[in-house]
Amino acid sequence: VQAAFGGPTKAEIQSNITAGQLELLLAGRRIWCFAGHGNAQLQAELVPAFVGDGDALEAVSIDTLVGIVKAHVPGAGGKLEMIVFTGCCTGALAKELVERAFAPYAVCWATKLHDEAGKIFGEAFAQAIAGGATPPDAYARARTAVTTVTEEGASVDVQKYELDVDPLDSLRVYPTRDPSGEPHPSAGRLIDPPGARRGRIAAGTP
């Protein structure tokens, strides 16, 4: 993602920050990309995991994050135009940041996501934005980047990932372990349709 935007002089990486540091780091930024756990449990909310003192995970409420972001959007005199979450279950937060903090765009994952598919999506989205695409067009291109990845099939290479399927959907996706407790040979894949060798990997819902 950093390379897509022109390298370290154009896009800064900050690792393991606290929520308090986020307030300072958003000043003057046009895009905030968060690549990390998005489903830290804070009472009834799922929120991003920051890192506090002693490397302990740190979580603050959606209300707090709305307040932090709201001060940096164009309507408040800031430059923050877009937020990109590559983290599980960030849909509720993204919705609040658009509706209450007035962020022009927020990209998120409504469900758990498959790590590799999330990486592919995030890189493709960044490359499209850096190339001048609008956020909706970049979103469409990122989806296509995920669904055009292939793997070896019975006789031809076949589509590897399926979007818009929650990897935790027990009605559509094989579990991590079989009833005996052993690793399931098709863990994370769609339950095979009749005649299929194996299902695609459930990538999650962006």
Side-chain angles (χ1 to χ4, degrees), residues 34-203:
F34 180 92
H37 295 294
N39 56 347
Q41 187 80 41
L42 181 67
Q43 297 176 333
E45 296 180 332
L46 296 178
V47 295
F50 294 92
V51 179
D53 294 337
D55 293 333
L57 290 183
E58 178 183 272
V60 298
S61 69
I62 287 178
D63 279 348
T64 297
L65 292 170
V66 166
I68 290 173
V69 168
K70 190 174 183 178
H72 296 285
V73 299
K79 297 182 178 180
L80 190 63
E81 300 172 355
M82 183 163 52
I83 302 164
V84 181
F85 292 112
T86 306
C88 300
C89 305
T90 43
L93 172 59
K95 182 175 184 290
E96 294 295 307
L97 294 179
V98 169
E99 294 182 354
R100 295 171 50 208
F102 309 113
Y105 291 98
V107 181
C108 63
W109 289 78
T111 64
K112 181 179 173 63
L113 68 89
H114 184 279
D115 285 348
E116 184 61 28
K119 179 175 181 289
I120 294 164
F121 183 98
E123 289 179 358
F125 186 86
Q127 289 164 1
I129 290 293
T134 65
D137 285 344
Y139 173 80
R141 292 186 200 178
R143 288 180 61 95
T144 299
V146 174
T147 56
T148 50
V149 173
T150 61
E151 62 181 344
E152 184 180 356
S155 56
V156 297
D157 287 351
V158 296
Q159 182 176 331
K160 184 175 182 178
Y161 298 108
E162 186 75 16
L163 286 171
D164 305 320
V165 180
D166 187 345
L168 298 180
D169 185 345
S170 60
L171 296 179
R172 301 189 63 188
V173 181
Y174 285 114
T176 303
R177 297 188 177 277
D178 63 25
S180 69
E182 294 297 316
H184 198 291
S186 295
R189 291 183 178 270
L190 301 186
I191 295 173
D192 299 345
R197 180 186 178 199
R198 59 179 175 175
R200 296 170 183 163
I201 298 173

